[in-house]
Amino acid sequence: VEKRLELVKQVSHSTHKKLTACLQGQQGVDADKRSKKLPLTTLAQCLMEGSAVLGDDSLLGKMLRLCGEAEDKLAQELIHFELQVERDVIEPLFVLAEVEIPNIQKQRKHLAKLVLDMDSSRTRWQQSAKSSGLASNLQPSGAKADALREEMEEAANRVEICRDQLSADMYNFVAKEVDYANYFQTLIEVQAEYHRKSLALLQNVLPQIKAQQEAWMEKPSFGKPLEEHLAVSGREIAFPVEACVTMLLECGMQEEGLFRVAPSASKLKKLKAALDCCVVDVQEYSADPHAIAGALKSYLRELPEPLMTFELYEEWIQASNIPEQEKRLQALWNACEKLPKANYNNIRYLIKFLAKLTEYQDMNKMTPSNVAIVLGPNLLWPQADGNMTEMMTTVSLQIVGIIEPLIQHADWFFPGDIEFNVTGNYGSPMHVNHNANYSSMPSPDMDHADRRQHDQARRPLSVATDNMMLEFYKKDGMGVRVMDTSWVARRGTSGVRKASSTPPAAQPPAPPAELPAAPHSPIPEQSPDISATPSPPATSFGFPPGAER
C-alpha cells in the first residue's frame, strides 16, 4: 500500500493538472465571470452583432442570428458542464493528491520519528542500568532509572498509537479506492450529459436554419438539379428557361444565327450571374439576343442530368435508329410520355419555342435541322464521359435525328397551345396561341433589310460565330440521316392533332394527299420543313388565316 500511495499521488496530480488545462473558463470563479472569458460567448456575441449589422432582410443576417443564439446556448451548457466537472472531479482529485495521500505519508514519517525516539529512550535506559554496576539479571532502581523506564514506555506507547493510526489510514485508502475510481466515471457521465444537451440544442436549431435556407428564393439555378430548382422556386418552368425564352420572343426571333453565333463572354457571364440571382434587366439584354441564347444553352448544358434524362437515353437513341418514319415518330412519342413531369413540362415549353423560332427561318437561317445541331447536344448526352470528338461524330448525329422531328412536329408531339410568359415578368408578349404573333416583334414578312438596319443601330455586332459545328455536319460521309417529314406540314397538323395525349399508334398520322413527298436529302439544312410547303396568302403578320390552318 505504501508503494502504491506514491504512484496514486503522481497519477492524481498529473490528471488534475491536465484536466484543469481543458477548462475553457477561468477556474474558481462564478458562472457570470466565467461566461465573459469563454471563447464561445465571444463568438456568440460576434455573430449577434453581425446579424444586427446585416439585418433579417438578408439570408446571412438570419443565419448569423440563429447561429449566434445557438452558440450562446452552447456556451451556457459548457459553463454548467465545467462547473460540474470542477466540483465533482477536479477538486476531489486535488484533495486526493495534495491532502489525503500526503497526510498518510506524513503519518508514516511521524511513525519513523517516534520509533527513533523509542529506540533512543531504550538505549539511555540500558546505559543507565550498566552504569549502576548491577547485575544484568537485576532491574535498575532509583528515581533516575524510573524516569528513564517511564520515558521508554511512553515512547513505545506513542509508537504503537501512531502505528495503529497509520494502519487505519492505509486501510481506509484501500477501501476508498472505489470512490477514487468513481471520479473518472463521473467525468465521463458529465461529459456525456453535456454532449447530449449540446446535440439536442444543435438538432433543434438545424431545422430552423434549413427552413430559412429553403425559404430563401434567391438560390442559384445553374448547375442545380431541375427538380430541386423547381421545388425551391415553386415553378413549373425553370427560371432561366422562361426568362431567356420570353426575352428572345421579344427581341431575337429574327436574329440571324440565333443559338449558333457565340455571344460576348463577359456579357454571357454577367447574364448567367443575374439569372442565378433571379434578377434580369430585360431592357439591358434586349439589345443582345445572342447573350440570351447563350445563357439558355449554358443552363441546359450545366444541368447535372440532361433535360431528356439519362434513364431514357438508350430509348431515345434506339428510336432515332428506326428506319421507318412513322414508327420512328411513334417511338419518339413513347419516349416523351415517359419523361418525368418536370422534364416533360420544360422540354415541351422549349420545343414549342424552338418550333416558333423556325417559323422565322428565312430571316434567322435557323431551320429545324440547324437548331437541332446546335441545341441537341445540350438536351441529351450519354452519362459516361467519353472522348469529345467521338461523341460529336456519333452520339450528336443521332441526337440531331431526335431533336429535329420534335421541332418539326411540335404540335403533334405536344398538342395544345402554350403560354410562354408564365409569370409575366420578362416582357409584354400579347399571346394568343402557339402561332400568334407578339406586338413587340416585327412580322416575318417585314422587309429584312429594314430589320437588319434597325438592329444594327441598336445592337452591337456579335463578337464570334460558331459555323464550325454546322460545317461539321455538312461534310459527306458522316452518316447523317435526314428524315423525309414533309408529309406532316403545319397546315395539316390540325387534322391529326389530338386534344389529349393519345398514342399515335391508335390513330397514326397520315400524309396529306395533296402534298407530294419531298426528295430525300443528305444535308440537314436542306431537309424539308415548314418553309418547303406551299403557304397560303400571308396575313398582315405573315401567317396564314386561322380558318385555313
Side-chain angles (χ1 to χ4, degrees), residues 248-258 289-290 353 356-366 437-438 440-452 455 458-459 541:
L248 288 175
L249 285 168
E250 289 280 347
C251 66
M253 299 299 280
Q254 299 190 38
E255 183 68 24
E256 184 174 336
L258 195 68
H290 293 296
F353 163 72
K356 187 168 188 63
L357 178 67
T358 59
E359 293 176 5
Y360 296 82
Q361 58 186 280
D362 291 340
M363 287 161 283
N364 59 35
K365 311 302 181 188
M366 297 305 292
N437 203 350
Y438 291 82
S440 60
M441 187 191 310
S443 61
D445 59 347
M446 176 184 283
D447 184 76
H448 192 48
D450 294 341
R451 165 72 180 190
R452 291 193 60 82
D455 286 351
R458 70 181 180 87
R459 177 168 61 252
F541 288 98

Side-chain angles (χ1 to χ4, degrees), residues 35-50:
S35 175
K36 295 177 182 179
K37 300 288 185 179
L38 205 63
L40 268 180
T41 304
T42 307
L43 173 62
Q45 291 173 350
C46 177
L47 293 174
M48 295 302 292
E49 291 170 1

Side-chain angles (χ1 to χ4, degrees), residues 20-30 33-39 78-79 82 86:
T20 303
C22 292
L23 298 179
Q24 298 185 34
Q26 186 177 354
Q27 187 179 2
V29 298
D30 58 16
K33 292 182 179 179
R34 187 188 292 263
S35 175
K36 295 177 182 179
K37 300 288 185 179
L38 205 63
L78 180 60
I79 292 171
E82 289 190 352
E86 192 174 329

